[in-house]
Amino acid sequence: MTAITLGHLRDALHAGCASAVARVLDAYEVEVDFVDADADELPGMLDNGEIDLLVSAWLPRDAGFVQHGMRLIGLLYRPVYVWASTKPLGPIDTLTSEQVGRFITVSQDAPRLKAALATLPNLAGTPVETCDEEVLYERVSAAAEAGEALVAMIAQPHALFHTDMLHVLEDAQERLGGEMEARMMVRETVAACADSDMLDELSEMTLGNKVMSALDYTIQVEGVDPEDAAEAWQRGRLVPR
């Protein structure tokens, strides 16, 4: 096999992850063609055979990506949705609307936030802001600098967790769902003719949430190209190993 089409979601986090995986493919002299897409575009692209390797699906959240003809491999990191505040606060169950200035989340996660807040009557009426992923870091940074008690409903890893701006709040009931698994999906027809050692290496590859947050920060905040950020990780310059 000499070439693979590597697909990923269109954001800095997944671009960084895809570039890190591509470092393994490069070592086996496989040419990588990157393809990015929005979440609603991926199922059709997978169904049409436009993606050989997807990096990555968050299971069980992205169960809809798992299609006939695709094989799940590896466990790159363990994403999880959390409540995280710009000020140290108690468990989410104990908070009131007087303690929280507002909630914020990215637009695509607004339904998850709405459902969770419906179980927290003490927080009824607290303002909720939604925004694009590209401006979330900026909005949270501004709130932290202003001393505002902002609570973000956010998926970890994230660039924000490569800083000390946020404090994760306890939620014993896991209203936002439990820990997920970020796994790759490879097309069976591609796996059949791929180097078995390469597949084994991909299956054993681990990045972890800390590295992923660092990759996201380096790309999203510092403006580093995803492939350069992945090289920095591989050379041990991104975070201490």
Short mmCIF file of all heavy atoms in Angstrom, two decimals, residues 4-34:
data_model
loop_
_atom_site.label_atom_id
_atom_site.label_comp_id
_atom_site.label_asym_id
_atom_site.label_seq_id
_atom_site.Cartn_x
_atom_site.Cartn_y
_atom_site.Cartn_z
N ILE A 4 -2.97 6.52 1.52
CA ILE A 4 -4.18 6.40 2.35
C ILE A 4 -4.84 7.76 2.44
O ILE A 4 -4.18 8.78 2.62
CB ILE A 4 -3.83 5.89 3.77
CG1 ILE A 4 -3.67 4.36 3.78
CG2 ILE A 4 -4.89 6.29 4.78
CD1 ILE A 4 -3.38 3.77 5.14
N THR A 5 -6.16 7.77 2.30
CA THR A 5 -6.94 8.99 2.53
C THR A 5 -7.34 9.01 4.00
O THR A 5 -8.07 8.13 4.46
CB THR A 5 -8.20 9.03 1.65
OG1 THR A 5 -7.81 8.98 0.27
CG2 THR A 5 -8.98 10.31 1.89
N LEU A 6 -6.83 9.98 4.72
CA LEU A 6 -7.04 10.08 6.16
C LEU A 6 -8.05 11.18 6.45
O LEU A 6 -7.81 12.35 6.16
CB LEU A 6 -5.71 10.36 6.86
CG LEU A 6 -5.61 10.14 8.37
CD1 LEU A 6 -4.16 10.01 8.79
CD2 LEU A 6 -6.26 11.27 9.14
N GLY A 7 -9.20 10.81 7.01
CA GLY A 7 -10.26 11.78 7.29
C GLY A 7 -10.33 12.16 8.76
O GLY A 7 -9.99 11.36 9.64
N HIS A 8 -10.76 13.40 9.02
CA HIS A 8 -10.93 13.85 10.40
C HIS A 8 -11.93 14.99 10.45
O HIS A 8 -12.21 15.65 9.43
CB HIS A 8 -9.59 14.30 11.00
CG HIS A 8 -8.96 15.47 10.29
ND1 HIS A 8 -9.28 16.79 10.58
CD2 HIS A 8 -8.03 15.53 9.31
CE1 HIS A 8 -8.57 17.59 9.81
NE2 HIS A 8 -7.80 16.85 9.02
N LEU A 9 -12.48 15.24 11.62
CA LEU A 9 -13.40 16.36 11.81
C LEU A 9 -12.66 17.67 11.61
O LEU A 9 -11.46 17.78 11.88
CB LEU A 9 -14.03 16.30 13.20
CG LEU A 9 -15.10 15.23 13.41
CD1 LEU A 9 -15.48 15.13 14.88
CD2 LEU A 9 -16.34 15.53 12.57
N ARG A 10 -13.40 18.67 11.17
CA ARG A 10 -12.80 19.95 10.80
C ARG A 10 -12.62 20.86 12.02
O ARG A 10 -13.34 21.84 12.22
CB ARG A 10 -13.67 20.63 9.73
CG ARG A 10 -13.04 21.86 9.08
CD ARG A 10 -13.94 22.41 7.99
NE ARG A 10 -13.95 21.55 6.81
CZ ARG A 10 -15.07 21.10 6.23
NH1 ARG A 10 -16.25 21.41 6.74
NH2 ARG A 10 -14.99 20.34 5.16
N ASP A 11 -11.65 20.53 12.86
CA ASP A 11 -11.26 21.40 13.97
C ASP A 11 -9.82 21.11 14.34
O ASP A 11 -9.22 20.14 13.88
CB ASP A 11 -12.20 21.25 15.18
CG ASP A 11 -12.24 19.84 15.75
OD1 ASP A 11 -11.18 19.18 15.80
OD2 ASP A 11 -13.33 19.40 16.17
N ALA A 12 -9.24 21.99 15.15
CA ALA A 12 -7.82 21.89 15.47
C ALA A 12 -7.48 20.60 16.21
O ALA A 12 -6.44 19.98 15.95
CB ALA A 12 -7.39 23.11 16.29
N LEU A 13 -8.34 20.20 17.13
CA LEU A 13 -8.08 19.00 17.93
C LEU A 13 -7.92 17.77 17.04
O LEU A 13 -6.95 17.02 17.15
CB LEU A 13 -9.21 18.79 18.95
CG LEU A 13 -8.99 17.61 19.91
CD1 LEU A 13 -8.11 18.04 21.07
CD2 LEU A 13 -10.33 17.08 20.42
N HIS A 14 -8.89 17.56 16.15
CA HIS A 14 -8.86 16.37 15.30
C HIS A 14 -7.79 16.49 14.21
O HIS A 14 -7.21 15.47 13.81
CB HIS A 14 -10.24 16.13 14.69
CG HIS A 14 -11.24 15.60 15.68
ND1 HIS A 14 -11.99 16.43 16.48
CD2 HIS A 14 -11.57 14.33 16.02
CE1 HIS A 14 -12.76 15.69 17.26
NE2 HIS A 14 -12.51 14.41 17.00
N ALA A 15 -7.51 17.70 13.78
CA ALA A 15 -6.43 17.88 12.80
C ALA A 15 -5.09 17.50 13.41
O ALA A 15 -4.24 16.86 12.76
CB ALA A 15 -6.40 19.33 12.31
N GLY A 16 -4.89 17.88 14.67
CA GLY A 16 -3.66 17.52 15.37
C GLY A 16 -3.53 16.03 15.56
O GLY A 16 -2.45 15.44 15.36
N CYS A 17 -4.63 15.40 15.93
CA CYS A 17 -4.63 13.95 16.14
C CYS A 17 -4.33 13.22 14.83
O CYS A 17 -3.52 12.29 14.78
CB CYS A 17 -5.98 13.51 16.70
SG CYS A 17 -6.03 11.79 17.23
N ALA A 18 -4.98 13.67 13.75
CA ALA A 18 -4.76 13.05 12.44
C ALA A 18 -3.30 13.20 12.01
O ALA A 18 -2.71 12.26 11.46
CB ALA A 18 -5.69 13.68 11.41
N SER A 19 -2.73 14.35 12.27
CA SER A 19 -1.33 14.58 11.88
C SER A 19 -0.38 13.71 12.70
O SER A 19 0.66 13.25 12.19
CB SER A 19 -0.96 16.06 12.05
OG SER A 19 -1.66 16.84 11.10
N ALA A 20 -0.73 13.47 13.97
CA ALA A 20 0.10 12.59 14.80
C ALA A 20 0.03 11.15 14.26
O ALA A 20 1.05 10.46 14.19
CB ALA A 20 -0.38 12.64 16.25
N VAL A 21 -1.16 10.71 13.88
CA VAL A 21 -1.31 9.37 13.31
C VAL A 21 -0.55 9.27 11.99
O VAL A 21 0.07 8.24 11.67
CB VAL A 21 -2.80 9.04 13.11
CG1 VAL A 21 -2.98 7.77 12.27
CG2 VAL A 21 -3.49 8.86 14.47
N ALA A 22 -0.57 10.36 11.22
CA ALA A 22 0.12 10.37 9.93
C ALA A 22 1.62 10.16 10.09
O ALA A 22 2.28 9.67 9.16
CB ALA A 22 -0.16 11.67 9.21
N ARG A 23 2.17 10.52 11.26
CA ARG A 23 3.60 10.30 11.48
C ARG A 23 3.93 8.81 11.42
O ARG A 23 5.00 8.42 10.96
CB ARG A 23 4.02 10.86 12.84
CG ARG A 23 3.72 12.33 13.08
CD ARG A 23 4.45 13.25 12.14
NE ARG A 23 5.89 13.24 12.36
CZ ARG A 23 6.76 13.96 11.65
NH1 ARG A 23 6.33 14.73 10.67
NH2 ARG A 23 8.05 13.91 11.92
N VAL A 24 3.01 7.98 11.89
CA VAL A 24 3.20 6.53 11.82
C VAL A 24 3.15 6.07 10.37
O VAL A 24 3.99 5.28 9.91
CB VAL A 24 2.14 5.78 12.65
CG1 VAL A 24 2.25 4.26 12.45
CG2 VAL A 24 2.27 6.14 14.13
N LEU A 25 2.17 6.57 9.61
CA LEU A 25 2.04 6.19 8.21
C LEU A 25 3.27 6.62 7.41
O LEU A 25 3.75 5.87 6.54
CB LEU A 25 0.78 6.82 7.62
CG LEU A 25 -0.55 6.51 8.32
CD1 LEU A 25 -1.70 7.19 7.62
CD2 LEU A 25 -0.79 5.01 8.41
N ASP A 26 3.78 7.81 7.72
CA ASP A 26 4.98 8.30 7.04
C ASP A 26 6.16 7.34 7.24
O ASP A 26 6.96 7.12 6.33
CB ASP A 26 5.37 9.69 7.56
CG ASP A 26 4.41 10.77 7.11
OD1 ASP A 26 3.64 10.53 6.16
OD2 ASP A 26 4.41 11.86 7.73
N ALA A 27 6.25 6.79 8.45
CA ALA A 27 7.37 5.90 8.75
C ALA A 27 7.34 4.63 7.90
O ALA A 27 8.37 3.98 7.68
CB ALA A 27 7.36 5.53 10.23
N TYR A 28 6.13 4.28 7.41
CA TYR A 28 5.99 3.11 6.55
C TYR A 28 5.91 3.51 5.07
O TYR A 28 5.49 2.72 4.23
CB TYR A 28 4.75 2.30 6.96
CG TYR A 28 4.95 1.54 8.25
CD1 TYR A 28 4.69 2.14 9.49
CD2 TYR A 28 5.42 0.23 8.25
CE1 TYR A 28 4.89 1.46 10.68
CE2 TYR A 28 5.62 -0.47 9.43
CZ TYR A 28 5.35 0.16 10.64
OH TYR A 28 5.55 -0.53 11.82
N GLU A 29 6.31 4.76 4.81
CA GLU A 29 6.37 5.30 3.44
C GLU A 29 5.01 5.27 2.75
O GLU A 29 4.90 5.00 1.54
CB GLU A 29 7.42 4.57 2.62
CG GLU A 29 8.83 4.70 3.20
CD GLU A 29 9.89 4.02 2.35
OE1 GLU A 29 9.53 3.23 1.46
OE2 GLU A 29 11.09 4.30 2.57
N VAL A 30 3.95 5.53 3.54
CA VAL A 30 2.60 5.64 2.98
C VAL A 30 2.27 7.11 2.78
O VAL A 30 2.39 7.92 3.70
CB VAL A 30 1.56 5.00 3.93
CG1 VAL A 30 0.14 5.22 3.41
CG2 VAL A 30 1.84 3.51 4.09
N GLU A 31 1.87 7.47 1.59
CA GLU A 31 1.50 8.85 1.29
C GLU A 31 0.13 9.14 1.87
O GLU A 31 -0.82 8.36 1.68
CB GLU A 31 1.48 9.08 -0.22
CG GLU A 31 1.16 10.51 -0.62
CD GLU A 31 1.16 10.70 -2.12
OE1 GLU A 31 1.73 9.85 -2.83
OE2 GLU A 31 0.57 11.69 -2.59
N VAL A 32 0.01 10.24 2.58
CA VAL A 32 -1.25 10.58 3.27
C VAL A 32 -1.93 11.75 2.57
O VAL A 32 -1.33 12.80 2.34
CB VAL A 32 -0.99 10.95 4.74
CG1 VAL A 32 -2.29 11.36 5.43
CG2 VAL A 32 -0.36 9.77 5.48
N ASP A 33 -3.21 11.55 2.26
CA ASP A 33 -4.05 12.62 1.71
C ASP A 33 -5.08 12.97 2.77
O ASP A 33 -5.96 12.16 3.08
CB ASP A 33 -4.73 12.13 0.43
CG ASP A 33 -5.59 13.21 -0.22
OD1 ASP A 33 -5.39 14.40 0.10
OD2 ASP A 33 -6.48 12.86 -1.02
N PHE A 34 -4.96 14.16 3.40
CA PHE A 34 -5.87 14.56 4.46
C PHE A 34 -7.19 15.07 3.88
O PHE A 34 -7.21 15.82 2.90
CB PHE A 34 -5.25 15.68 5.31
CG PHE A 34 -4.08 15.26 6.13
CD1 PHE A 34 -2.77 15.51 5.71
CD2 PHE A 34 -4.26 14.61 7.35
CE1 PHE A 34 -1.68 15.13 6.47
CE2 PHE A 34 -3.18 14.22 8.12
CZ PHE A 34 -1.88 14.47 7.68
#
